[in-house]
Amino acid sequence: MAVACLLLLFLTTGCSLYGGVMPPSPTGAPLTRVLDVPFYPQEDYQCGPAALAMAMTWSGLPVTPDDLTAQVYTPSQKGSIQPDMITAARRNGRMAYVIHGADRLSAEIAGGNPVVVLQNLGLSWYPVWHYAVVVGLDRDADEILLNSGLTRNRRTPWRVFENTWGPDFWGLLVLPPSRLPVTAKETEWLNGAVGLERARQWAAAEEAYAAAAARWPRSHDAWIGLGNARYSLGNAEGAAKAFRRATEVKPDSGIAFNNLAFVLDELGRRDEALQAAQKAVSLGGPQIETFRQTLSDIEN
């Protein structure tokens, strides 16, 4: 029987626009911030692989657009779609974290994180989609700096950029799994960690869940995810510690007690395992049959 998996809901987020005016600088942030992001020219129809390669190389994983083309480029569409960009980042052990809106983009740049954006450089009725990487903001000049096309640090008036950025003002952070965004939200980050699990990037998932547990120490889901990732890496002792912490932050979690029982039994600590399994069964819930099976396996 496998350790019960973590299920999370993907949420959508809203955005706040400023009608052509750059969002105010976060408190204490410099008015101008330009990040040192590697640059790859974007050849015809290759803006997706190049933009993702820039972000991934900045994150500490050197790749080239050619390394990513097969993963994100769709010949029939002559371009790359957003889900494939996210999946490719996760497949390579990087946290893919989606943001929406000018406020969050501004805060991330101020905090030192480049943002991949999707622009429409055409018309509403004849769109020309293009990925670029936001690498800086100059509030004195009211300009945004982009790695775009064949130009590094291209300066563009904020109003012009905002008119091309839409319709949902989507941005993608590609981060080391231990680095939380400036605007990190618990559920969004955990959704990204689940994505790393689905990509079977267990070491990266462990880092992401550990970062979540450090930021949100009362997060039951972070501790469950950390335990699952550690177990998948063969670290049953570490998994037991994480699951035990989950039972402490949420004493009515049958999943936490069930998972704890499973790994304690594997570690040869049968009495503790029985106690945890009995607790899971007593708590009940939608997964009661799984809990009963765990208890039966330990008893027999």
Side-chain angles (χ1 to χ4, degrees):
M1 184 192 70
V3 179
C5 63
L6 174 65
L7 299 177
L8 295 171
L9 294 177
F10 286 79
L11 304 180
T12 58
T13 58
C15 60
S16 172
L17 296 181
Y18 284 80
V21 179
M22 189 179 294
S25 176
T27 303
L31 292 178
T32 300
R33 181 80 191 264
V34 182
L35 309 180
D36 184 16
V37 178
F39 177 71
Y40 291 110
Q42 295 174 309
E43 307 295 340
D44 289 345
Y45 307 119
Q46 294 293 312
C47 65
L52 189 58
M54 287 186 253
M56 289 180 64
T57 301
W58 168 87
S59 77
L61 184 65
V63 293
T64 68
D66 287 343
D67 295 328
L68 298 173
T69 297
Q71 299 180 48
V72 302
Y73 180 69
T74 304
S76 62
Q77 298 188 11
K78 296 184 178 180
S80 304
I81 61 175
Q82 292 150 294
D84 288 346
M85 299 277 282
I86 293 169
T87 298
R90 292 171 176 168
R91 189 182 294 125
N92 286 277
R94 283 300 180 258
M95 171 60 77
Y97 188 90
V98 174
I99 62 172
H100 293 268
D103 288 326
R104 297 184 74 180
L105 181 146
S106 173
E108 293 300 336
I109 295 300
N113 297 323
V115 183
V116 177
V117 293
L118 181 61
Q119 299 172 272
N120 178 9
L121 302 183
L123 302 170
S124 60
W125 52 271
Y126 191 82
V128 178
W129 298 109
H130 173 73
Y131 290 101
V133 183
V134 180
V135 298
L137 293 174
D138 184 342
R139 287 183 169 80
D140 286 330
D142 201 33
E143 292 177 333
I144 190 167
L145 285 81
L146 304 166
N147 280 0
S148 179
L150 303 179
T151 305
R152 185 175 194 173
N153 295 348
R154 171 182 287 173
R155 286 180 170 269
T156 302
W158 174 264
R159 182 181 294 274
V160 173
F161 167 74
E162 190 179 61
N163 286 338
T164 66
W165 185 33
D168 58 352
F169 307 97
W170 177 91
L172 176 65
L173 302 175
V174 180
L175 302 168
S178 60
R179 179 179 176 126
L180 287 160
V182 174
T183 61
K185 297 181 180 181
E186 180 183 344
T187 299
E188 292 176 349
W189 181 262
L190 292 176
N191 282 341
V194 170
L196 288 168
E197 285 191 85
R198 290 174 177 167
R200 305 190 68 79
Q201 292 289 328
W202 299 112
E206 180 187 23
E207 289 187 51
Y209 284 123
R215 171 68 70 88
W216 302 287
R218 301 294 301 174
S219 172
H220 163 268
D221 291 347
W223 290 108
I224 290 290
L226 181 58
N228 287 346
R230 286 176 173 174
Y231 181 81
S232 296
L233 289 168
N235 181 6
E237 189 66 51
K241 291 178 180 178
F243 292 140
R244 190 175 296 282
R245 182 59 180 149
T247 68
E248 294 168 354
V249 300
K250 191 174 181 181
D252 62 349
S253 170
I255 290 176
F257 280 101
N258 176 78
N259 290 8
L260 177 60
F262 181 89
V263 294
L264 287 174
D265 185 51
E266 188 169 290
L267 289 167
R269 294 154 63 178
R270 185 172 181 274
D271 290 344
E272 293 177 78
L274 275 173
Q275 185 178 14
Q278 289 165 353
K279 179 66 173 179
V281 170
S282 71
L283 288 168
Q287 293 180 294
I288 182 63
E289 292 306 317
T290 298
F291 303 161
R292 286 172 176 159
Q293 184 62 54
T294 300
L295 177 58
S296 176
D297 290 345
I298 295 171
E299 289 175 333
N300 297 324

